[in-house]
Amino acid sequence: MKWVVWIGSVRKGSYNAAIGRALKDLAPEGVTVALLPSVADLPIYSGDIESAGMPAEVSALGQEIAQADALVVVSPEYNYSVPGGLKNAIDWVSRLKPMPLKGKPLLIQSASMGSLGGARMQYHLRQILVGLDARVMNVPEVMVGAVHKKVSEDGVLSDEGTRDFIRTQLQAFAAFAAKG
Amino acid sequence: MKWVVWIGSVRKGSYNAAIGRALKDLAPEGVTVALLPSVADLPIYSGDIESAGMPAEVSALGQEIAQADALVVVSPEYNYSVPGGLKNAIDWVSRLKPMPLKGKPLLIQSASMGSLGGARMQYHLRQILVGLDARVMNVPEVMVGAVHKKVSEDGVLSDEGTRDFIRTQLQAFAAFAAKG
Amino acid sequence: MKWVVWIGSVRKGSYNAAIGRALKDLAPEGVTVALLPSVADLPIYSGDIESAGMPAEVSALGQEIAQADALVVVSPEYNYSVPGGLKNAIDWVSRLKPMPLKGKPLLIQSASMGSLGGARMQYHLRQILVGLDARVMNVPEVMVGAVHKKVSEDGVLSDEGTRDFIRTQLQAFAAFAAKG
Amino acid sequence: MKWVVWIGSVRKGSYNAAIGRALKDLAPEGVTVALLPSVADLPIYSGDIESAGMPAEVSALGQEIAQADALVVVSPEYNYSVPGGLKNAIDWVSRLKPMPLKGKPLLIQSASMGSLGGARMQYHLRQILVGLDARVMNVPEVMVGAVHKKVSEDGVLSDEGTRDFIRTQLQAFAAFAAKG
């Protein structure tokens, strides 16, 4: 089974990227995990650009998603919602035909330095995915609070409790995705 | 009184831009209306770019908002939420100090070809603006459905009913903004 | 296959109840449809009442849901969200063990006299159902606007376009529920 | 200045009620604080009951709100949203003419035993209040996590950090409400 991971943050030292990189180790056996390209690689969506021809990076991104068995989004919350860059990438992908998020098993994770752990981002993202008809897992939900205390200085998700909880979630997600 | 208008769409023939351009005519006397630069003028937000120095376009955008008495957002709904490009622009502006949306009187308008008129965008945008402490007007709400029948081929908001309703809303907004 | 229908309104002449009653005719062959008891039959949820013993009506309601293969919620929107009475019924059911909404195939329909057709209710309900782990169908979404023109004076959903669209949705839901 | 407090929970030992009772001590000088009746005192909303005559308890509740200078809602989160009982009370009050929430300065507080502190309830409540045109304060937001460690066995909000933070919020709210 092949999963791809979409990181909502562009920053090199991103805590959410640290979690995203850790998924390879935390996923159940038999699952390969690859990171999708940065959401910063795409222009701001414009219907005029699209009319002139779908950008190659969008098509390539869509193909990576299409070829994966499942998608994990790991993202911070920006201003109580989905980061604009990630939303912009979703807006682009939503224009592809066939649309690769349709029916795709999808898992959401978030992290923040505060106590909410990015919760507000998750529910906005869930609404965004309704019309796109992604197949989003409900529970358990992973919202990592105080993430700056759980990632080491060299960008490794080191907190054992968090690692265990994510392992449990990924196990559930593997079963969820397999039902497809 | 000076208002600035933020358009959520980048497309040249955008229906929402047509509404945004009409506001100049529809606003009460004594109000000047100017359009903010395109949300496509900004890079995808990255904390690394910010650390290297706030981009000049972000600072300039922030200043235009700061110098205005009020802000009107006119935006389509993309995938049941705020367009990524507009959200990205908000994410940038949210990083300025002082943060120009704080306490700013703010009005939301949306339009779509369907019957919901962009409603889902509006409630996500309202949540986004809570933490930024913008002073958002509640009612009346302008959500223009079937907008393709209400804008002429040369991009003019021609539907009289819609123009009247927007006039009424802008009148209420002028009073709301004046209370500041 | 047996479906139960939960009506969000209590009013005898409710338009949403009219839609709920029509589902029997509109569901695919082989599906039986029964209405759940009125949400007005339950007291306002209180942990003290629950501690003194789960009310018999709650247990009975839970059993009807548990024994059904799928659940259809048909509800108006009250104040931009789920009617308090329906939410109260969900709050009660959520306390049952085993919790009958867990994994239950679930469909949402709404209607209003305005043009939004109850859309805001639907997305709040979807968020409510995440933690309860119901299996909610994404699309197509049925939001009936101008419903007062689509239900006859004797409370029959008479509009053929609406009936056809609901038929299409129920067909999709039957397939969705069968995957269970 | 007179504030009234609406408690979203009915349970006698409610943590949110403990916070609600503490507001009297924590409010700035010159503010009197009174609790509104329990949301369990109202029937489930029905348009038929309303048509037969607005229940006396609803009118009385509406009058208490109308006569207050501001309203504070203190509520738990039930199933990721507003408790059904509180929403039902809002649904009733929304039917009064004049509608007492219109323009009313309003503050939201929530508490839960988990780490989110009822956050999901707050954003649903904010959306509910848009159409009712309440004047809801943005920030600071009070979401008390791990509330069971912050309320004493005899139901007193004893945690000093929480008390201080609420004091700060109420000070800001007094200024916000005064602008009215």
mmCIF file of all heavy atoms in Angstrom, chain B residues 70-116:
data_model
loop_
_atom_site.group_PDB
_atom_site.id
_atom_site.type_symbol
_atom_site.label_atom_id
_atom_site.label_comp_id
_atom_site.label_asym_id
_atom_site.label_seq_id
_atom_site.Cartn_x
_atom_site.Cartn_y
_atom_site.Cartn_z
ATOM 1 N N ALA B 70 -12.387 51.239 6.072
ATOM 2 C CA ALA B 70 -13.130 49.985 6.102
ATOM 3 C C ALA B 70 -12.715 49.131 4.911
ATOM 4 O O ALA B 70 -12.158 49.635 3.928
ATOM 5 C CB ALA B 70 -14.632 50.243 6.065
ATOM 6 N N LEU B 71 -13.013 47.851 5.028
ATOM 7 C CA LEU B 71 -12.599 46.869 4.026
ATOM 8 C C LEU B 71 -13.810 46.047 3.596
ATOM 9 O O LEU B 71 -14.579 45.585 4.437
ATOM 10 C CB LEU B 71 -11.533 45.955 4.655
ATOM 11 C CG LEU B 71 -11.048 44.735 3.878
ATOM 12 C CD1 LEU B 71 -10.453 45.124 2.536
ATOM 13 C CD2 LEU B 71 -10.007 43.979 4.703
ATOM 14 N N VAL B 72 -13.960 45.871 2.277
ATOM 15 C CA VAL B 72 -15.011 45.003 1.743
ATOM 16 C C VAL B 72 -14.345 43.834 1.032
ATOM 17 O O VAL B 72 -13.516 44.049 0.142
ATOM 18 C CB VAL B 72 -15.931 45.754 0.753
ATOM 19 C CG1 VAL B 72 -17.076 44.853 0.295
ATOM 20 C CG2 VAL B 72 -16.463 47.042 1.359
ATOM 21 N N VAL B 73 -14.665 42.625 1.423
ATOM 22 C CA VAL B 73 -14.165 41.436 0.736
ATOM 23 C C VAL B 73 -15.261 40.933 -0.199
ATOM 24 O O VAL B 73 -16.391 40.706 0.238
ATOM 25 C CB VAL B 73 -13.778 40.329 1.735
ATOM 26 C CG1 VAL B 73 -13.360 39.063 0.999
ATOM 27 C CG2 VAL B 73 -12.676 40.805 2.672
ATOM 28 N N VAL B 74 -14.937 40.795 -1.467
ATOM 29 C CA VAL B 74 -15.881 40.245 -2.455
ATOM 30 C C VAL B 74 -15.210 39.026 -3.059
ATOM 31 O O VAL B 74 -14.187 39.144 -3.736
ATOM 32 C CB VAL B 74 -16.210 41.250 -3.569
ATOM 33 C CG1 VAL B 74 -17.362 40.726 -4.427
ATOM 34 C CG2 VAL B 74 -16.546 42.615 -3.003
ATOM 35 N N SER B 75 -15.772 37.864 -2.822
ATOM 36 C CA SER B 75 -15.028 36.657 -3.190
ATOM 37 C C SER B 75 -15.932 35.519 -3.608
ATOM 38 O O SER B 75 -17.022 35.334 -3.062
ATOM 39 C CB SER B 75 -14.180 36.196 -1.993
ATOM 40 O OG SER B 75 -13.508 35.001 -2.303
ATOM 41 N N PRO B 76 -15.458 34.736 -4.555
ATOM 42 C CA PRO B 76 -16.155 33.484 -4.847
ATOM 43 C C PRO B 76 -15.866 32.473 -3.739
ATOM 44 O O PRO B 76 -15.043 32.708 -2.857
ATOM 45 C CB PRO B 76 -15.512 33.016 -6.156
ATOM 46 C CG PRO B 76 -14.139 33.585 -6.133
ATOM 47 C CD PRO B 76 -14.244 34.887 -5.388
ATOM 48 N N GLU B 77 -16.571 31.379 -3.818
ATOM 49 C CA GLU B 77 -16.307 30.229 -2.952
ATOM 50 C C GLU B 77 -15.574 29.211 -3.791
ATOM 51 O O GLU B 77 -16.025 28.887 -4.889
ATOM 52 C CB GLU B 77 -17.653 29.681 -2.474
ATOM 53 C CG GLU B 77 -17.599 28.358 -1.757
ATOM 54 C CD GLU B 77 -19.007 27.839 -1.459
ATOM 55 O OE1 GLU B 77 -19.795 28.535 -0.814
ATOM 56 O OE2 GLU B 77 -19.319 26.713 -1.925
ATOM 57 N N TYR B 78 -14.446 28.735 -3.308
ATOM 58 C CA TYR B 78 -13.753 27.637 -3.987
ATOM 59 C C TYR B 78 -13.810 26.428 -3.060
ATOM 60 O O TYR B 78 -13.340 26.500 -1.916
ATOM 61 C CB TYR B 78 -12.286 27.969 -4.240
ATOM 62 C CG TYR B 78 -12.002 28.963 -5.338
ATOM 63 C CD1 TYR B 78 -10.685 29.374 -5.582
ATOM 64 C CD2 TYR B 78 -13.005 29.501 -6.134
ATOM 65 C CE1 TYR B 78 -10.387 30.284 -6.588
ATOM 66 C CE2 TYR B 78 -12.716 30.416 -7.137
ATOM 67 C CZ TYR B 78 -11.412 30.805 -7.361
ATOM 68 O OH TYR B 78 -11.119 31.711 -8.345
ATOM 69 N N ASN B 79 -14.340 25.351 -3.545
ATOM 70 C CA ASN B 79 -14.373 24.124 -2.751
ATOM 71 C C ASN B 79 -14.908 24.365 -1.342
ATOM 72 O O ASN B 79 -14.287 23.988 -0.345
ATOM 73 C CB ASN B 79 -12.970 23.492 -2.700
ATOM 74 C CG ASN B 79 -12.505 23.065 -4.080
ATOM 75 O OD1 ASN B 79 -13.223 22.354 -4.772
ATOM 76 N ND2 ASN B 79 -11.337 23.529 -4.499
ATOM 77 N N TYR B 80 -16.065 24.986 -1.287
ATOM 78 C CA TYR B 80 -16.824 25.159 -0.038
ATOM 79 C C TYR B 80 -16.113 26.043 0.973
ATOM 80 O O TYR B 80 -16.417 25.979 2.173
ATOM 81 C CB TYR B 80 -17.112 23.803 0.625
ATOM 82 C CG TYR B 80 -18.049 22.887 -0.115
ATOM 83 C CD1 TYR B 80 -18.328 23.058 -1.467
ATOM 84 C CD2 TYR B 80 -18.681 21.829 0.535
ATOM 85 C CE1 TYR B 80 -19.191 22.213 -2.137
ATOM 86 C CE2 TYR B 80 -19.554 20.981 -0.123
ATOM 87 C CZ TYR B 80 -19.790 21.177 -1.461
ATOM 88 O OH TYR B 80 -20.646 20.332 -2.122
ATOM 89 N N SER B 81 -15.161 26.851 0.544
ATOM 90 C CA SER B 81 -14.409 27.653 1.506
ATOM 91 C C SER B 81 -13.821 28.875 0.804
ATOM 92 O O SER B 81 -14.184 29.207 -0.335
ATOM 93 C CB SER B 81 -13.310 26.797 2.138
ATOM 94 O OG SER B 81 -12.640 27.495 3.177
ATOM 95 N N VAL B 82 -12.920 29.539 1.490
ATOM 96 C CA VAL B 82 -12.242 30.727 0.970
ATOM 97 C C VAL B 82 -11.231 30.297 -0.098
ATOM 98 O O VAL B 82 -10.504 29.318 0.106
ATOM 99 C CB VAL B 82 -11.525 31.438 2.139
ATOM 100 C CG1 VAL B 82 -10.763 32.656 1.661
ATOM 101 C CG2 VAL B 82 -12.524 31.808 3.236
ATOM 102 N N PRO B 83 -11.155 31.004 -1.238
ATOM 103 C CA PRO B 83 -10.126 30.675 -2.234
ATOM 104 C C PRO B 83 -8.740 30.691 -1.587
ATOM 105 O O PRO B 83 -8.447 31.565 -0.755
ATOM 106 C CB PRO B 83 -10.262 31.808 -3.259
ATOM 107 C CG PRO B 83 -11.669 32.295 -3.130
ATOM 108 C CD PRO B 83 -12.004 32.133 -1.671
ATOM 109 N N GLY B 84 -7.901 29.732 -1.977
ATOM 110 C CA GLY B 84 -6.569 29.662 -1.407
ATOM 111 C C GLY B 84 -5.780 30.946 -1.560
ATOM 112 O O GLY B 84 -5.047 31.349 -0.658
ATOM 113 N N GLY B 85 -5.927 31.590 -2.698
ATOM 114 C CA GLY B 85 -5.172 32.817 -2.940
ATOM 115 C C GLY B 85 -5.553 33.929 -1.966
ATOM 116 O O GLY B 85 -4.683 34.619 -1.428
ATOM 117 N N LEU B 86 -6.826 34.089 -1.726
ATOM 118 C CA LEU B 86 -7.280 35.107 -0.779
ATOM 119 C C LEU B 86 -6.838 34.737 0.634
ATOM 120 O O LEU B 86 -6.365 35.583 1.401
ATOM 121 C CB LEU B 86 -8.806 35.243 -0.847
ATOM 122 C CG LEU B 86 -9.441 36.173 0.194
ATOM 123 C CD1 LEU B 86 -8.915 37.598 0.077
ATOM 124 C CD2 LEU B 86 -10.970 36.164 0.064
ATOM 125 N N LYS B 87 -6.976 33.467 0.970
ATOM 126 C CA LYS B 87 -6.553 33.042 2.310
ATOM 127 C C LYS B 87 -5.059 33.267 2.493
ATOM 128 O O LYS B 87 -4.601 33.706 3.567
ATOM 129 C CB LYS B 87 -6.898 31.565 2.532
ATOM 130 C CG LYS B 87 -6.461 31.000 3.891
ATOM 131 C CD LYS B 87 -7.044 31.775 5.063
ATOM 132 C CE LYS B 87 -6.923 31.058 6.386
ATOM 133 N NZ LYS B 87 -5.600 30.641 6.770
ATOM 134 N N ASN B 88 -4.296 33.015 1.432
ATOM 135 C CA ASN B 88 -2.848 33.231 1.497
ATOM 136 C C ASN B 88 -2.535 34.716 1.728
ATOM 137 O O ASN B 88 -1.644 35.066 2.517
ATOM 138 C CB ASN B 88 -2.219 32.748 0.182
ATOM 139 C CG ASN B 88 -0.722 32.917 0.149
ATOM 140 O OD1 ASN B 88 -0.002 32.308 0.952
ATOM 141 N ND2 ASN B 88 -0.229 33.762 -0.748
ATOM 142 N N ALA B 89 -3.279 35.584 1.081
ATOM 143 C CA ALA B 89 -3.074 37.019 1.278
ATOM 144 C C ALA B 89 -3.409 37.417 2.717
ATOM 145 O O ALA B 89 -2.701 38.215 3.346
ATOM 146 C CB ALA B 89 -3.930 37.803 0.280
ATOM 147 N N ILE B 90 -4.481 36.832 3.247
ATOM 148 C CA ILE B 90 -4.838 37.102 4.646
ATOM 149 C C ILE B 90 -3.736 36.584 5.572
ATOM 150 O O ILE B 90 -3.360 37.242 6.549
ATOM 151 C CB ILE B 90 -6.203 36.448 4.986
ATOM 152 C CG1 ILE B 90 -7.323 37.128 4.198
ATOM 153 C CG2 ILE B 90 -6.465 36.494 6.490
ATOM 154 C CD1 ILE B 90 -8.679 36.440 4.309
ATOM 155 N N ASP B 91 -3.215 35.391 5.261
ATOM 156 C CA ASP B 91 -2.141 34.830 6.095
ATOM 157 C C ASP B 91 -0.938 35.773 6.133
ATOM 158 O O ASP B 91 -0.332 35.977 7.187
ATOM 159 C CB ASP B 91 -1.726 33.445 5.576
ATOM 160 C CG ASP B 91 -2.807 32.382 5.802
ATOM 161 O OD1 ASP B 91 -3.708 32.595 6.625
ATOM 162 O OD2 ASP B 91 -2.742 31.328 5.128
ATOM 163 N N TRP B 92 -0.601 36.346 4.998
ATOM 164 C CA TRP B 92 0.508 37.315 4.967
ATOM 165 C C TRP B 92 0.200 38.541 5.812
ATOM 166 O O TRP B 92 0.981 38.963 6.662
ATOM 167 C CB TRP B 92 0.811 37.742 3.521
ATOM 168 C CG TRP B 92 1.814 36.877 2.815
ATOM 169 C CD1 TRP B 92 1.591 36.091 1.733
ATOM 170 C CD2 TRP B 92 3.203 36.711 3.148
ATOM 171 N NE1 TRP B 92 2.747 35.441 1.355
ATOM 172 C CE2 TRP B 92 3.741 35.804 2.213
ATOM 173 C CE3 TRP B 92 4.028 37.218 4.141
ATOM 174 C CZ2 TRP B 92 5.090 35.406 2.239
ATOM 175 C CZ3 TRP B 92 5.370 36.823 4.181
ATOM 176 C CH2 TRP B 92 5.874 35.931 3.233
ATOM 177 N N VAL B 93 -0.960 39.117 5.540
ATOM 178 C CA VAL B 93 -1.330 40.359 6.245
ATOM 179 C C VAL B 93 -1.388 40.133 7.754
ATOM 180 O O VAL B 93 -1.051 41.010 8.548
ATOM 181 C CB VAL B 93 -2.675 40.890 5.693
ATOM 182 C CG1 VAL B 93 -3.258 41.971 6.599
ATOM 183 C CG2 VAL B 93 -2.477 41.431 4.282
ATOM 184 N N SER B 94 -1.768 38.918 8.147
ATOM 185 C CA SER B 94 -1.890 38.630 9.585
ATOM 186 C C SER B 94 -0.553 38.698 10.311
ATOM 187 O O SER B 94 -0.511 38.744 11.541
ATOM 188 C CB SER B 94 -2.515 37.245 9.796
ATOM 189 O OG SER B 94 -1.577 36.215 9.499
ATOM 190 N N ARG B 95 0.532 38.701 9.544
ATOM 191 C CA ARG B 95 1.867 38.692 10.148
ATOM 192 C C ARG B 95 2.429 40.098 10.338
ATOM 193 O O ARG B 95 3.512 40.267 10.919
ATOM 194 C CB ARG B 95 2.840 37.876 9.278
ATOM 195 C CG ARG B 95 2.391 36.450 9.005
ATOM 196 C CD ARG B 95 2.297 35.634 10.256
ATOM 197 N NE ARG B 95 3.606 35.500 10.900
ATOM 198 C CZ ARG B 95 3.804 35.001 12.105
ATOM 199 N NH1 ARG B 95 2.785 34.597 12.828
ATOM 200 N NH2 ARG B 95 5.020 34.907 12.613
ATOM 201 N N LEU B 96 1.754 41.091 9.822
ATOM 202 C CA LEU B 96 2.242 42.475 9.947
ATOM 203 C C LEU B 96 2.038 42.997 11.364
ATOM 204 O O LEU B 96 1.113 42.592 12.058
ATOM 205 C CB LEU B 96 1.504 43.370 8.941
ATOM 206 C CG LEU B 96 1.821 43.095 7.469
ATOM 207 C CD1 LEU B 96 0.832 43.818 6.567
ATOM 208 C CD2 LEU B 96 3.260 43.520 7.136
ATOM 209 N N LYS B 97 2.915 43.894 11.762
ATOM 210 C CA LYS B 97 2.794 44.531 13.066
ATOM 211 C C LYS B 97 2.932 46.031 12.881
ATOM 212 O O LYS B 97 3.975 46.478 12.409
ATOM 213 C CB LYS B 97 3.879 44.021 14.021
ATOM 214 C CG LYS B 97 3.729 42.554 14.306
ATOM 215 C CD LYS B 97 4.646 42.104 15.429
ATOM 216 C CE LYS B 97 4.328 40.673 15.830
ATOM 217 N NZ LYS B 97 4.911 39.662 14.942
ATOM 218 N N PRO B 98 1.960 46.872 13.213
ATOM 219 C CA PRO B 98 0.637 46.465 13.698
ATOM 220 C C PRO B 98 -0.146 45.747 12.611
ATOM 221 O O PRO B 98 0.096 45.954 11.426
ATOM 222 C CB PRO B 98 -0.022 47.795 14.075
ATOM 223 C CG PRO B 98 0.668 48.825 13.251
ATOM 224 C CD PRO B 98 2.071 48.334 13.054
ATOM 225 N N MET B 99 -1.093 44.947 13.040
ATOM 226 C CA MET B 99 -1.831 44.091 12.107
ATOM 227 C C MET B 99 -3.068 44.869 11.633
ATOM 228 O O MET B 99 -3.950 45.189 12.426
ATOM 229 C CB MET B 99 -2.211 42.793 12.836
ATOM 230 C CG MET B 99 -2.392 41.595 11.914
ATOM 231 S SD MET B 99 -3.946 41.671 11.008
ATOM 232 C CE MET B 99 -5.085 41.400 12.385
ATOM 233 N N PRO B 100 -3.109 45.188 10.338
ATOM 234 C CA PRO B 100 -4.097 46.177 9.889
ATOM 235 C C PRO B 100 -5.549 45.720 9.915
ATOM 236 O O PRO B 100 -6.442 46.565 9.754
ATOM 237 C CB PRO B 100 -3.644 46.490 8.450
ATOM 238 C CG PRO B 100 -2.845 45.330 8.018
ATOM 239 C CD PRO B 100 -2.194 44.773 9.251
ATOM 240 N N LEU B 101 -5.816 44.431 10.087
ATOM 241 C CA LEU B 101 -7.216 43.997 10.143
ATOM 242 C C LEU B 101 -7.812 44.181 11.538
ATOM 243 O O LEU B 101 -9.031 44.158 11.711
ATOM 244 C CB LEU B 101 -7.337 42.528 9.713
ATOM 245 C CG LEU B 101 -6.956 42.260 8.251
ATOM 246 C CD1 LEU B 101 -6.932 40.772 7.966
ATOM 247 C CD2 LEU B 101 -7.928 42.960 7.294
ATOM 248 N N LYS B 102 -6.968 44.373 12.521
ATOM 249 C CA LYS B 102 -7.448 44.486 13.913
ATOM 250 C C LYS B 102 -8.389 45.683 14.057
ATOM 251 O O LYS B 102 -8.002 46.825 13.811
ATOM 252 C CB LYS B 102 -6.265 44.635 14.861
ATOM 253 C CG LYS B 102 -6.674 44.594 16.318
ATOM 254 C CD LYS B 102 -5.487 44.610 17.251
ATOM 255 C CE LYS B 102 -5.949 44.788 18.693
ATOM 256 N NZ LYS B 102 -7.002 43.828 19.085
ATOM 257 N N GLY B 103 -9.622 45.395 14.439
ATOM 258 C CA GLY B 103 -10.598 46.444 14.664
ATOM 259 C C GLY B 103 -11.177 47.068 13.397
ATOM 260 O O GLY B 103 -12.044 47.938 13.466
ATOM 261 N N LYS B 104 -10.709 46.602 12.258
ATOM 262 C CA LYS B 104 -11.137 47.203 10.974
ATOM 263 C C LYS B 104 -12.586 46.814 10.664
ATOM 264 O O LYS B 104 -12.929 45.630 10.639
ATOM 265 C CB LYS B 104 -10.217 46.681 9.868
ATOM 266 C CG LYS B 104 -10.434 47.263 8.487
ATOM 267 C CD LYS B 104 -10.021 48.708 8.367
ATOM 268 C CE LYS B 104 -8.549 48.936 8.634
ATOM 269 N NZ LYS B 104 -8.196 50.381 8.663
ATOM 270 N N PRO B 105 -13.446 47.785 10.376
ATOM 271 C CA PRO B 105 -14.798 47.463 9.914
ATOM 272 C C PRO B 105 -14.721 46.677 8.606
ATOM 273 O O PRO B 105 -14.014 47.095 7.674
ATOM 274 C CB PRO B 105 -15.443 48.841 9.703
ATOM 275 C CG PRO B 105 -14.676 49.766 10.597
ATOM 276 C CD PRO B 105 -13.263 49.232 10.574
ATOM 277 N N LEU B 106 -15.429 45.576 8.537
ATOM 278 C CA LEU B 106 -15.255 44.661 7.413
ATOM 279 C C LEU B 106 -16.606 44.115 6.951
ATOM 280 O O LEU B 106 -17.438 43.714 7.758
ATOM 281 C CB LEU B 106 -14.305 43.521 7.838
ATOM 282 C CG LEU B 106 -13.686 42.691 6.723
ATOM 283 C CD1 LEU B 106 -12.314 42.172 7.134
ATOM 284 C CD2 LEU B 106 -14.574 41.548 6.306
ATOM 285 N N LEU B 107 -16.759 44.079 5.655
ATOM 286 C CA LEU B 107 -17.997 43.600 5.038
ATOM 287 C C LEU B 107 -17.661 42.451 4.101
ATOM 288 O O LEU B 107 -16.656 42.497 3.395
ATOM 289 C CB LEU B 107 -18.651 44.736 4.248
ATOM 290 C CG LEU B 107 -20.023 44.439 3.630
ATOM 291 C CD1 LEU B 107 -21.073 44.323 4.719
ATOM 292 C CD2 LEU B 107 -20.412 45.529 2.640
ATOM 293 N N ILE B 108 -18.522 41.454 4.061
ATOM 294 C CA ILE B 108 -18.304 40.294 3.194
ATOM 295 C C ILE B 108 -19.409 40.218 2.143
ATOM 296 O O ILE B 108 -20.582 40.328 2.466
ATOM 297 C CB ILE B 108 -18.275 38.983 4.010
ATOM 298 C CG1 ILE B 108 -17.234 39.063 5.132
ATOM 299 C CG2 ILE B 108 -18.009 37.784 3.114
ATOM 300 C CD1 ILE B 108 -17.231 37.853 6.063
ATOM 301 N N GLN B 109 -19.005 40.006 0.895
ATOM 302 C CA GLN B 109 -19.941 39.735 -0.197
ATOM 303 C C GLN B 109 -19.418 38.547 -0.989
ATOM 304 O O GLN B 109 -18.206 38.344 -1.089
ATOM 305 C CB GLN B 109 -20.052 40.947 -1.133
ATOM 306 C CG GLN B 109 -20.542 42.213 -0.450
ATOM 307 C CD GLN B 109 -20.646 43.390 -1.401
ATOM 308 O OE1 GLN B 109 -19.987 43.414 -2.438
ATOM 309 N NE2 GLN B 109 -21.468 44.361 -1.044
ATOM 310 N N SER B 110 -20.348 37.792 -1.560
ATOM 311 C CA SER B 110 -19.902 36.672 -2.390
ATOM 312 C C SER B 110 -20.907 36.445 -3.506
ATOM 313 O O SER B 110 -22.055 36.863 -3.423
ATOM 314 C CB SER B 110 -19.744 35.392 -1.557
ATOM 315 O OG SER B 110 -20.979 35.019 -0.985
ATOM 316 N N ALA B 111 -20.459 35.763 -4.534
ATOM 317 C CA ALA B 111 -21.333 35.452 -5.660
ATOM 318 C C ALA B 111 -20.911 34.129 -6.260
ATOM 319 O O ALA B 111 -19.729 33.762 -6.243
ATOM 320 C CB ALA B 111 -21.252 36.545 -6.720
ATOM 321 N N SER B 112 -21.900 33.409 -6.775
ATOM 322 C CA SER B 112 -21.601 32.163 -7.481
ATOM 323 C C SER B 112 -22.675 31.922 -8.532
ATOM 324 O O SER B 112 -23.740 32.537 -8.501
ATOM 325 C CB SER B 112 -21.555 30.978 -6.506
ATOM 326 O OG SER B 112 -22.862 30.591 -6.134
ATOM 327 N N MET B 113 -22.399 31.025 -9.432
ATOM 328 C CA MET B 113 -23.384 30.693 -10.457
ATOM 329 C C MET B 113 -24.479 29.794 -9.891
ATOM 330 O O MET B 113 -25.579 29.750 -10.420
ATOM 331 C CB MET B 113 -22.692 30.041 -11.648
ATOM 332 C CG MET B 113 -21.772 31.043 -12.369
ATOM 333 S SD MET B 113 -21.243 30.489 -13.981
ATOM 334 C CE MET B 113 -20.054 29.238 -13.500
ATOM 335 N N GLY B 114 -24.220 29.082 -8.838
ATOM 336 C CA GLY B 114 -25.221 28.223 -8.203
ATOM 337 C C GLY B 114 -26.177 29.028 -7.335
ATOM 338 O O GLY B 114 -26.168 30.262 -7.352
ATOM 339 N N SER B 115 -26.993 28.321 -6.545
ATOM 340 C CA SER B 115 -28.011 29.030 -5.767
ATOM 341 C C SER B 115 -27.508 29.456 -4.390
ATOM 342 O O SER B 115 -28.114 30.303 -3.753
ATOM 343 C CB SER B 115 -29.265 28.165 -5.627
ATOM 344 O OG SER B 115 -28.937 26.941 -5.026
ATOM 345 N N LEU B 116 -26.397 28.890 -3.931
ATOM 346 C CA LEU B 116 -25.936 29.245 -2.586
ATOM 347 C C LEU B 116 -25.204 30.592 -2.570
ATOM 348 O O LEU B 116 -25.031 31.198 -1.512
ATOM 349 C CB LEU B 116 -25.027 28.154 -2.010
ATOM 350 C CG LEU B 116 -25.635 26.765 -1.815
ATOM 351 C CD1 LEU B 116 -24.743 25.922 -0.898
ATOM 352 C CD2 LEU B 116 -27.037 26.815 -1.220
#
